[in-house]
C-alpha cells in the first residue's frame, strides 16, 4: 500500500505517525530534539544588506565622489599630505555613517522579532504560548478566531471553524474546516478541508490540530519566495528630508560655485579654490541627516519598547506625535481584565459572592446571611451553565515568590483563556460545581463560540441520553431570545413584567460598573443538532444574571488627565453595557461636563453627516460592534483628527487599519489585529499609548533639534566662506579645516541631540498638525538667524586677526571660532525657548560629544605634528578672548533676546475637545 497523505489518515494513525499524544502533546525533550533536527518553523528570509555593502554605500554620495576625485588630483599634483588627510577624514566619515546606519538596520530587525507571531500549544499536558517559530511537527496547536495558522496542521477538532486561505488558493471567502478523514488521495489544497495551512487565517470558531509540516516544508514555504514583500519603512518625515536634502544640495552647489568664482576673480589660486569649494560643498550638504533621523527614530523606538510599546511601522512614530484622539477599548485596556463575580441575580433575589482573584474560595450571601445552595435549583443551573458554556481553564501552578530574603514556593491559580469566562469558572468552583466534575457528566457535542457581533456563546451538551443547549451572553441580547424564565425553581412563561424585572436588575448592576452576563438554556429532542447559532439561541429559558467587577487600571486615570493636558481626547469604545461603560468612564474622568455617551443602536440611526456634527462631543460608545468602530474613526478623521484606535478582535482589523495609528493588544490581541496595527501594546495598557505618544512627540522634537543645529552650522560655514570671497579676503578656512568641522563638530553633537531628554512641557501643549512643516514654529527663522550670526562672528574674528598680517593665525582663529560657536549653539538647540531655559549638563552624551570635539580641536591646534596638516598655529590668550567672545555672541545675543521677550515660545492654550479640528 502506498503511503497515505495526511488528510487521508484517521486520528489514531496521525498521532502515531507523528509520535505525539492528542491529550498531552509532545514532551519538552521531544520538542528540543525535533527543533535541533528540523530547524525553526520559519520561512527563509530575503537577503539583508551585508555590513560591507552598508559601508561601501557611504561612498556613493555624489559630493563624496567629487571630493575623492579632487583628492586624487591633489595626490597627482604631489600634495600627498592633503590627499591622505582628506582621504582619512572621508573614511572616518564613512565609518560614522556606517555605524549610524548599521545600528538603525539592527534596531529595525530587532523590532520585527518583537512583533513576531505566537502560537498556543499543548506540551506535557499543559497549555503554553510559544513563538510560532518554535513549533515542531507533532505539536498540538489550539486555534481561535483571529489566529494565523502557525504551521501546516491537520485538524483534530473544529468547532464552527472557518479559515480564509486566499494567500494560497486565491479564494477570498473563508472555507469551513472539519476533523473528518478524507479518502481521496490527490486533492487540491482548496479541498483539503481537514488541513490548516500556515499563514492562513481563522476567521470564526475554534479548533485544535496537530502540526504536520513546519517552515519551508509547508505549503506556504513552497511559494514563500513569491510572496515575500518588504515593507515601506521610510517615514513621511524621512521622505520629506530626502526631498529637502536634494534642494539643499542644489543650493550648496550653487553657493559653492559662487564662492569658487568669487575667489578666483579675487586672485585666489584655481586649484586651492576648487578644493576649498568642494570641501565646502561636502561640509554644507547635510548628507548625515537621513541616517541621524533613522538613528533617532530607531533609538526612540527602543525607548518605546522599554515602555512596553512595540512599533511595527516606523512612520507611526511620527504620527504618534500628532494624535489628537485616542479611541480605546474598555476591557483590558482601561480596566485590568481581572474579573471577579460579586453579584448574582435570580428570581428577583440579589446575592453577593465573596472571594478574590482566581482562587476558588468564597461563599454566597443574601442580605448578609450565608446561603445553603445545595437544594437551590436556579443557582445550580446558573453555575452549571457558567462552568460548561465556557472555554477557560483554571489551573494550580507552583510559583516561587520572594518573601523578605527567602524564596517561598506557593501554589497559584492561573487562568488560561478569556478572563470573563475565567471569572465564571472560578464562581462555579467556589460554589461547588467545578467544571471538571460536570464535564465528566456532560459531553459537549457542539459549540457556537462567543463573538462580539452576536455577544452570545452557546454549547450543545449530551447528558444521560438527552441533549441540552446552554447559552450565556449580554443580557439585553439574550433576554430577547427567552420565551420562558426559571422563576423560584419552576419554568414559567416570560411575561413583560418578569422581563422588566430582569432588565431593571441588569441596569442596576451595570450602574455600579459591573459587567453583566445573562444565562439561559433549552432542552433539545434527543440527538438533535443545531444548524447554526441562530438556530440554537432561540426559545430559551432565562436563568439569571451574574455581575463581575473589573477594576480600572490604577495608572489610567492619570494617563487620561495627561492626555487632556496634551490636547488629546480619550474616547471609550466598548461592547459592554452603556451604564457599565458610563460608570467606569466617570470613575476614570473620561467624560467632561457636557460630554455625551452613545450606544451602538443610537449610532445606527445617525447618518454620517449627523454623526460628524456630534462626534466631537461623544466620549463613550457602548454596546458597539467592531464595524461601528470604522464609522467612528472615519467621522473623527473627517473632522480633522489624527486618530489612534485600539482593537483586539479579528473584526477590529478594518478600523485599526483605517485609523492613523492602529493599536493592537500584545497579550489579548488576535494575530489579525496585530498585523493590521502599527503599534502593539505588550501590556495591553492604555497608559502605554500615552507613553508612546510622549515618546513620539519627543522623537520629533529631537529631530527638529538636530536639524536646527546641523543646518544653522551649515549656514554659518557657507556664509563665512561666501562673505570672505565676496569681500575679496583670503580663504578664512582651508579645505581640511572645513572637512574637520563637518566631521567632528557636526557629527557627534548632532547625534547626541538625537537622544536628548524631552522638555518638561512636552505633554502640556496641543498635538502638532499632521501636515506641519518641519521648519514650522519659527525653526526656519532660528536656523537662518543663528547661522548668519555664527558666519558673521567667525568672519569678524578672522578679519580682526588678519589685521596683524598672519594669515595662518587668522585662519586658526576662524577655525576655533566656528567650532566653538557651534559647540555653544548646540546647547541652545535643546530648548524651544533659549539656552537659559534648560540645564546645560543634563544630556550627558551631549556634554561628552562637546568635550570630545573640543579636545580634538585643541589637538589639531596645539599638537605640533598636526599643525602643518591642519594649517594651524598655537594661539595665545588675546586670540582666545576674541574667539570666545565671537563664538558665544550668537547664542548669548538670542538668549538675552528671548529672556527679555519673556521666552515667548508657546502660549498655553486651554484644551477644548474641538481644539484640533482642522
Ligand atoms: P471592549 O470592546 O471594551 O473590550 P467588551 O470586552 O466588554 O468591551 P465584548 O467582548 O464585545 O466587549 O463583550 C460584549 C458583551 O458580550 C459583554 O458585555 C458581555 O455581556 C458579553 N460577553 C463578553 N464575553 C463573553 C463570553 N465569553 N461569552 C458570552 N458573552 C460574553
Amino acid at each position: 500500500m502506498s503511503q497515505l497523505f495526511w488528510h487521508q489518515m484517521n486520528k489514531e494513525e496521525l498521532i502515531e505517525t507523528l509520535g505525539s499524544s492528542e491529550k498531552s502533546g509532545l514532551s519538552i525533550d521531544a520538542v528540543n530534539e525535533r527543533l535541533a533536527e528540523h530547524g525553526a518553523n520559519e520561512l527563509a528570509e530575503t537577503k539583508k544588506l551585508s555590513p560591507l555593502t552598508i559601508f561601501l554605500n557611504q561612498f556613493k554620495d555624489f559630493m563624496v565622489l567629487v571630493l575623492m576625485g579632487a583628492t586624487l588630483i591633489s595626490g597627482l599634483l604631489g600634495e600627498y599630505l592633503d590627499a591622505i588627510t582628506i582621504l582619512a577624514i572621508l573614511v572616518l566619515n564613512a565609518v560614522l555613517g556606517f555605524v549610524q546606519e548599521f545600528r538603525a538596520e539592527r534596531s529595525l530587525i530587532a523590532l520585527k522579532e518583537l512583533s513576531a507571531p505566537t502560537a498556543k500549544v499543548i506540551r506535557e499536558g499543559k497549555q503554553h504560548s510559544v513563538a510560532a517559530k518554535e513549533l515542531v511537527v507533532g505539536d498540538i496547536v489550539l486555534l481561535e478566531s483571529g489566529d494565523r495558522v502557525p504551521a501546516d496542521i491537520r485538524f483534530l477538532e473544529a468547532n464552527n471553524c472557518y479559515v480564509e486561505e486566499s494567500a494560497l488558493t486565491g479564494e477570498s471567502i473563508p472555507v469551513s474546516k472539519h476533523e473528518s478523514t478524507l479518502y481521496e488521495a490527490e486533492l487540491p489544497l482548496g479541498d483539503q478541508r481537514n488541513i490548516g495551512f500556515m499563514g492562513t487565517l481563522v476567521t470564526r470558531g475554534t479548533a485544535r490540530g496537530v502540526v504536520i509540516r513546519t517552515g519551508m516544508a509547508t505549503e506556504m514555504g513552497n511559494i514563500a519566495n513569491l510572496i515575500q514583500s518588504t515593507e515601506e519603512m521610510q517615514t513621511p518625515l524621512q521622505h520629506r528630508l530626502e526631498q529637502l536634502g536634494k534642494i539643499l544640495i542644489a543650493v550648496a552647489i550653487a553657493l559653492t560655485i559662487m564662492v569658487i568664482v568669487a575667489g578666483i576673480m579675487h586672485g585666489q589660486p584655481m586649484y586651492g579654490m576648487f578644493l576649498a569649494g568642494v570641501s565646502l560643498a561636502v561640509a554644507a550638504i547635510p548628507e548625515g541627516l537621513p541616517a541621524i533621523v533613522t538613528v533617532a527614530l530607531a533609538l526612540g523606538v527602543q525607548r518605546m519598547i522599554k515602555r512596553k510599546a512595540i512599533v511595527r511601522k516606523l512612520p507611526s512614530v511620527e504620527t504618534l506625535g500628532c494624535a489628537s484622539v485616542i479611541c480605546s477599548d474598555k476591557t483590558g485596556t482601561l480596566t485590568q481584565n481581572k474579573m471577579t463575580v460579586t453579584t448574582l441575580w435570580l428570581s428577583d433575589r440579589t446575592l453577593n459572592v465573596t472571594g478574590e482573584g482566581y482562587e476558588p474560595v468564597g461563599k454566597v450571601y443574601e442580605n448578609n446571611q450565608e446561603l445553603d445552595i445545595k437544594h437551590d435549583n436556579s443557582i445550580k443551573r446558573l453555575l452549571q451553565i457558567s462552568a460548561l458554556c465556557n472555554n477557560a481553564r483554571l489551573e494550580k501552578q507552583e510559583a516561587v515568590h520572594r518573601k523578605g530574603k527567602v524564596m517561598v514556593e506557593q501554589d497559584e491559580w492561573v487562568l488560561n483563556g478569556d478572563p470573563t469566562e475565567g471569572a465564571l469558572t472560578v464562581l462555579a468552583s467556589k460554589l461547588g460545581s467545578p467544571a471538571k466534575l460536570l464535564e465528566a457528566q456532560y459531553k459537549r457535542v457542539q459549540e457556537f463560540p462567543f463573538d462580539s457581533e452576536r455577544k452570545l456563546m452557546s454549547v450543545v451538551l449530551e447528558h444521560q441520553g438527552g441533549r441540552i443547549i446552554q447559552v450565556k451572553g449580554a443580557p439585553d441580547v439574550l433576554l430577547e431570545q427567552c420565551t420562558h424564565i426559571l422563576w423560584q425553581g419552576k419554568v414559567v412563561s416570560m411575561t413583560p413584567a418578569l422581563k422588566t424585572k430582569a432588565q431593571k436588575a441588569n441596569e442596576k448592576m451595570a450602574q455600579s460598573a459591573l459587567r453583566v452576563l445573562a444565562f439561559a438554556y433549552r432542552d433539545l429532542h434527543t440527538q438533535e443538532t443545531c444548524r447554526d447559532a441562530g438556530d440554537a439561541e432561540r426559545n430559551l429559558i432565562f436563568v439569571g444574571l451574574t455581575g463581575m467587577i473589573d477594576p480600572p487600571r490604577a495608572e489610567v486615570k492619570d494617563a487620561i488627565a495627561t492626555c487632556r493636558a496634551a490636547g488629546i481626547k480619550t474616547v471609550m469604545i466598548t461592547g459592554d453595557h452603556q451604564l457599565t461603560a458610563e460608570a467606569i468612564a466617570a470613575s476614570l474622568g473620561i467624560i467632561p461636563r457636557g460630554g455625551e455617551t452613545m450606544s451602538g443602536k443610537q449610532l445606527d440611526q445617525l447618518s454620517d453627516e449627523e454623526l460628524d456634527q456630534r462626534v466631537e462631543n461623544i466620549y463613550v460608545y457602548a454596546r458597539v460592534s467592531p464595524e461601528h468602530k470604522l464609522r467612528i474613526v472615519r467621522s473623527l478623521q473627517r473632522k480633522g483628527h489624527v486618530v489612534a484606535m485600539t482593537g483586539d478582535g479579528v473584526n477590529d482589523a478594518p478600523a485599526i487599519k483605517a485609523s492613523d495609528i492602529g493599536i493592537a493588544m500584545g497579550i489579548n490581541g488576535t494575530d489579525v489585529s496585530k498585523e493590521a496595527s502599527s503599534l502593539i501594546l505588550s501590556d495591553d495598557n492604555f497608559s502605554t499609548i500615552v507613553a508612546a505618544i510622549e515618546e513620539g512627540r519627543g522623537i520629533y522634537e529631537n529631530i527638529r533639534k538636530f536639524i536646527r543645529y546641523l543646518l544653522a552650522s551649515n549656514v554659518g560655514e557657507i556664509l563665512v566662506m561666501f562673505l570672505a570671497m565676496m569681500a575679496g579676503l583670503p580663504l578664512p578656512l582651508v579645505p581640511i579645516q572645513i572637512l574637520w568641522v563637518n566631521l567632528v563638530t557636526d557629527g557627534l553633537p548632532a547625534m547626541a541631540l538625537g537622544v536628548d531628554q524631552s522638555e518638561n512641557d512636552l505633554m502640556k501643549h496641543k498635538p502638532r498638525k499632521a501636515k506641519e512643516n518641519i521648519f514650522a514654529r519659527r525653526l526656519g527663522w532660528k536656523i537662518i538667524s543663528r547661522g548668519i550670526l555664527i558666519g558673521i562672528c567667525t568672519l569678524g574674528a578672522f578679519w580682526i586677526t588678519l589685521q596683524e598680517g598672519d594669515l595662518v593665525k587668522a585662519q586658526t582663529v576662524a577655525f576655533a571660532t566656528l567650532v566653538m560657536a557651534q559647540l555653544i549653539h548646540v546647547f541652545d538647540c535643546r530648548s524651544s525657548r533659549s539656552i537659559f531655559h534648560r540645564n546645560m549638563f543634563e544630556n550627558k552624551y551631549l556634554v561628552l560629544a562637546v568635550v570630545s570635539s573640543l579636545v580634538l580641536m585643541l589637538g589639531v591646534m596645539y599638537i605640533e605634528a598636526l599643525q602643518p596638516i591642519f594649517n594651524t598655529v598655537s594661539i595665545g590668550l588675546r586670540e582666545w578672548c576674541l574667539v570666545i567672545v565671537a563664538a558665544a555672541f550668537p547664542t548669548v545675543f538670542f538668549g538675552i533676546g528671548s529672556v527679555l521677550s519673556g521666552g515667548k515660545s508657546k502660549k498655553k492654550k486651554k484644551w477644548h475637545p474641538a481644539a484640533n479640528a482642522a
Side-chain angles (χ1 to χ4, degrees):
M1 192 180 95
S2 67
Q3 218 201 325
L4 290 176
F5 287 101
W6 293 114
H7 60 264
Q8 293 177 292
M9 295 184 191
N10 64 30
K11 266 191 205 175
E12 291 69 36
E13 285 167 333
L14 252 178
I15 297 293
E16 199 190 312
T17 317
L18 294 168
S20 187
S21 146
E22 191 183 347
K23 265 223 149 128
S24 53
L26 295 172
S27 69
I28 304 295
D29 287 344
V31 170
N32 289 337
E33 257 170 45
R34 291 179 189 202
L35 211 52
E37 194 176 333
H38 302 291
N41 174 34
E42 283 175 312
L43 299 182
E45 287 248 353
T46 39
K47 274 201 185 123
K48 294 182 202 113
L49 282 186
S50 74
L52 185 67
T53 323
I54 299 179
F55 182 72
L56 291 179
N57 279 348
Q58 306 300 317
F59 294 95
K60 269 195 185 158
D61 189 80
F62 173 67
M63 288 318 294
V64 172
L65 287 176
V66 173
L67 194 62
M68 287 196 346
T71 318
L72 191 74
I73 296 173
S74 34
L76 290 177
L77 292 177
E79 302 273 352
Y80 300 123
L81 209 55
D82 262 10
I84 291 169
T85 319
I86 293 178
L87 216 59
I89 291 182
L90 280 180
V91 170
L92 261 176
N93 207 4
V95 169
L96 207 68
F98 167 78
V99 171
Q100 288 167 350
E101 250 180 59
F102 191 66
R103 237 187 128 157
E105 182 111 331
R106 275 290 133 96
S107 332
L108 294 181
I109 293 172
L111 269 188
K112 265 195 181 164
E113 298 246 310
L114 269 174
S115 51
T118 55
K120 295 180 277 290
V121 290
I122 307 276
R123 286 177 182 167
E124 297 192 339
K126 285 193 182 136
Q127 187 179 326
H128 303 263
S129 174
V130 299
K133 67 175 185 188
E134 286 166 22
L135 284 185
V136 294
V137 168
D139 259 329
I140 306 288
V141 181
L142 302 177
L143 292 171
E144 60 184 327
S145 143
D147 286 347
R148 279 237 177 255
V149 179
D152 281 0
I153 61 159
R154 164 70 200 273
F155 287 103
L156 298 171
E157 187 188 319
N159 301 307
N160 200 25
C161 179
Y162 283 78
V163 177
E164 197 256 293
E165 301 182 328
S166 61
L168 272 181
T169 60
E171 174 59 61
S172 62
I173 298 168
V175 291
S176 75
K177 293 283 177 178
H178 59 74
E179 66 270 15
S180 317
T181 310
L182 295 166
Y183 296 100
E184 218 169 305
E186 301 286 340
L187 274 180
L189 295 185
D191 291 341
Q192 296 184 16
R193 293 297 181 90
N194 56 9
I195 306 275
F197 300 104
M198 180 186 203
T200 58
L201 186 73
V202 183
T203 58
R204 215 176 338 144
T206 53
R208 208 155 47 86
V210 58
V211 175
I212 51 173
R213 292 181 291 254
T214 60
M216 290 306 280
T218 60
E219 291 298 336
M220 203 52 104
N222 281 342
I223 57 163
N225 295 329
L226 299 178
I227 53 155
Q228 278 201 1
S229 60
T230 45
E231 234 182 78
E232 173 66 83
M233 284 305 245
Q234 204 180 31
T235 77
L237 179 64
Q238 283 176 309
H239 188 67
R240 265 183 281 153
L241 284 179
E242 214 174 81
Q243 305 290 329
L244 175 75
K246 284 186 187 141
I247 299 173
L248 289 178
I249 288 179
V251 173
I253 291 177
L255 285 173
T256 308
I257 292 173
M258 282 166 79
V259 170
I260 296 176
V261 171
I264 293 171
M265 276 166 55
H266 283 102
Q268 297 285 342
M270 208 136 113
Y271 161 71
M273 263 333 285
F274 173 68
L275 205 55
V278 177
S279 309
L280 185 61
V282 170
I285 293 163
E287 74 286 342
L289 209 59
I292 303 186
V293 172
T294 313
V295 171
L297 285 168
L299 291 179
V301 164
Q302 305 282 346
R303 282 199 302 276
M304 285 196 196
I305 293 171
K306 282 203 190 111
R307 298 178 77 173
K308 308 244 158 43
I310 299 164
V311 173
R312 282 193 68 246
K313 293 175 189 152
L314 209 48
S316 68
V317 175
E318 254 167 62
T319 328
L320 270 171
C322 310
S324 60
V325 180
I326 307 173
C327 294
S328 172
D329 282 342
K330 170 179 73 70
T331 311
T333 314
L334 295 169
T335 65
Q336 296 177 11
N337 215 0
K338 286 200 182 122
M339 319 245 186
T340 317
V341 176
T342 58
T343 315
L344 307 179
W345 182 87
L346 307 110
S347 314
D348 221 10
R349 294 159 70 197
T350 304
L351 315 179
N352 298 315
V353 185
T354 59
E356 268 176 29
Y358 294 136
E359 196 175 357
V361 180
K363 291 176 177 156
V364 59
Y365 292 84
E366 184 176 12
N367 297 325
N368 297 327
Q369 290 277 310
E370 193 182 335
L371 275 190
D372 178 12
I373 54 170
K374 257 190 227 118
H375 308 293
D376 192 322
N377 283 342
S378 304
I379 297 189
K380 275 174 44 194
R381 180 69 80 166
L382 187 138
L383 296 176
Q384 208 183 59
I385 307 175
S386 297
L388 294 171
C389 183
N390 195 321
N391 287 321
R393 285 265 163 277
L394 202 60
E395 271 161 24
K396 213 176 201 177
Q397 266 184 13
E398 248 176 35
V400 183
H401 292 285
R402 179 180 286 281
K403 225 181 195 175
K405 284 187 180 161
V406 275
M407 304 300 279
V408 187
E409 263 186 27
Q410 219 173 22
D411 283 342
E412 211 173 57
W413 288 94
V414 183
L415 168 77
N416 270 321
D418 173 33
T420 303
E421 298 195 346
L424 296 172
T425 312
V426 175
L427 172 78
S429 288
K430 264 182 195 173
L431 305 186
S433 304
K436 270 200 181 134
L437 202 75
L438 291 167
E439 274 165 1
Q441 303 160 19
Y442 291 81
K443 189 174 155 257
R444 192 186 280 190
V445 279
Q446 248 185 320
E447 177 192 344
F448 299 100
F450 171 76
D451 79 53
S452 39
E453 212 93 31
R454 258 169 52 245
K455 299 188 170 50
L456 299 176
M457 166 183 176
S458 45
V459 289
V460 178
L461 304 168
E462 206 163 82
H463 177 57
Q464 296 178 345
R467 285 192 176 186
I468 176 176
I469 295 178
Q470 293 186 338
V471 189
K472 73 176 196 305
D476 30 342
V477 183
L478 191 60
L479 264 172
E480 294 308 312
Q481 305 305 331
C482 293
T483 49
H484 291 76
I485 181 166
L486 190 61
W487 196 256
Q488 284 151 9
K490 288 197 192 96
V491 177
V492 298
S493 279
M494 175 72 89
T495 60
L498 290 178
K499 194 168 170 183
T500 311
K501 274 185 197 273
Q503 280 163 340
K504 285 254 161 67
N506 173 30
E507 280 166 22
K508 197 167 161 217
M509 281 155 110
Q511 265 160 353
S512 352
L514 294 179
R515 178 176 178 83
V516 193
L517 258 79
F519 300 79
Y521 73 100
R522 170 161 59 101
D523 290 316
L524 283 176
H525 304 295
T526 323
Q527 303 315 318
E528 191 182 340
T529 48
C530 298
R531 280 191 313 280
D532 52 28
D535 186 29
E537 293 155 0
R538 65 189 169 88
N539 299 338
L540 299 169
I541 304 164
F542 188 85
V543 178
L545 303 169
T546 59
M548 46 187 91
I549 47 161
D550 179 16
R553 288 178 181 268
E555 59 284 22
V556 165
K557 195 170 179 183
D558 285 345
I560 288 172
T562 307
C563 280
R564 184 157 297 190
I568 303 164
K569 176 181 154 177
T570 309
V571 177
M572 176 196 278
I573 303 186
T574 175
D576 215 338
H577 195 280
Q578 190 158 355
L579 296 172
T580 312
E582 277 174 6
I584 292 178
S587 75
L588 288 172
I590 288 182
I591 315 177
R593 204 172 298 145
E596 291 177 60
T597 63
M598 187 178 269
S599 70
K601 267 194 193 138
Q602 291 168 317
L603 185 56
D604 280 334
Q605 281 154 13
L606 294 184
S607 69
D608 281 351
E609 290 72 31
E610 285 164 333
L611 178 60
D612 290 355
Q613 277 166 19
R614 293 180 57 187
V615 74
E616 292 192 277
N617 200 34
I618 301 172
Y619 290 80
V620 174
Y621 294 88
R623 276 284 187 261
V624 288
S625 314
E627 68 270 24
H628 286 124
K629 286 188 170 180
L630 193 60
R631 278 193 74 194
I632 300 167
V633 168
R634 294 240 160 97
S635 178
L636 284 165
Q637 284 173 333
R638 281 195 295 272
K639 296 303 267 184
H641 284 286
V642 173
V643 186
M645 166 68 89
T646 70
D648 45 18
V650 62
N651 303 334
D652 288 337
I656 292 183
K657 254 200 183 131
S659 66
D660 301 279
I661 306 148
I663 303 171
M665 302 299 142
I667 305 171
N668 283 324
T670 52
D671 291 349
V672 194
S673 62
K674 287 182 193 164
E675 281 163 25
S677 71
S678 39
L679 189 76
I680 298 179
L681 309 179
S682 60
D683 60 354
D684 291 12
N685 190 340
F686 177 84
S687 342
T688 304
I689 307 176
V690 184
I693 290 181
E694 189 181 344
E695 288 294 346
R697 287 188 177 193
I699 292 171
Y700 186 79
E701 288 311 315
N702 281 356
I703 291 176
R704 272 169 54 97
K705 286 177 197 171
F706 63 70
I707 287 183
R708 173 179 164 188
Y709 172 67
L710 278 180
L711 295 191
S713 301
N714 289 355
V715 169
E717 286 157 25
I718 294 191
L719 205 72
V720 71
M721 297 292 279
F722 183 70
L723 291 180
M725 292 306 100
M726 288 301 164
L729 294 171
L731 277 179
L733 298 163
V734 299
I736 287 171
Q737 288 170 340
I738 298 173
L739 291 174
W740 183 253
V741 172
N742 180 44
L743 176 73
V744 177
T745 322
D746 291 359
L748 292 176
M751 278 175 82
L753 277 181
V755 291
D756 198 26
Q757 290 85 350
S758 307
E759 288 187 85
N760 293 336
D761 62 353
L762 202 58
M763 291 300 272
K764 295 208 175 84
H765 52 77
K766 289 197 308 171
R768 67 169 206 278
K769 291 261 166 10
K771 291 204 176 108
E772 182 189 281
N773 190 303
I774 187 87
F775 297 115
R777 287 179 274 138
R778 304 178 70 236
L779 194 79
W781 153 251
K782 283 181 182 163
I783 290 172
I784 305 235
S785 57
R786 273 54 162 187
I788 289 179
L789 215 53
I790 290 175
I792 291 177
C793 288
T794 307
L795 193 66
F798 171 70
W799 185 79
I800 293 172
T801 319
L802 194 63
Q803 303 313 306
E804 294 174 23
D806 184 344
L807 177 60
V808 177
K809 192 175 180 186
Q811 283 171 330
T812 310
V813 166
F815 172 65
T817 309
L818 186 63
V819 171
M820 293 286 291
Q822 293 185 3
L823 294 184
I824 296 171
H825 175 235
V826 74
F827 290 101
D828 191 19
C829 296
R830 296 185 62 226
S831 170
S832 53
R833 296 187 231 170
S834 82
I835 192 166
F836 305 122
H837 283 92
R838 295 197 72 181
N839 171 2
M840 277 181 62
F841 305 105
E842 194 182 4
N843 181 345
K844 303 266 175 320
Y845 297 106
L846 185 61
V847 174
L848 205 70
V850 167
V851 170
S852 335
S853 297
L854 264 180
V855 170
L856 288 168
M857 178 193 79
L858 293 175
V860 298
M861 284 170 69
Y862 288 95
I863 297 173
E864 265 177 36
L866 296 179
Q867 285 179 340
I869 301 176
F870 286 91
N871 186 54
T872 50
V873 288
S874 311
I875 55 170
L877 191 62
R878 209 161 57 92
E879 285 79 24
W880 269 115
C881 289
L882 177 65
V883 166
I884 287 167
V885 170
F889 185 76
T891 302
V892 173
F893 176 80
F894 284 107
I896 292 175
S898 158
V899 171
L900 290 183
S901 68
K904 58 137 202 175
S905 84
K906 285 161 208 136
K907 280 180 240 136
K908 263 187 214 158
K909 284 187 188 150
K910 269 222 174 118
W911 182 74
H912 181 270
N916 293 289

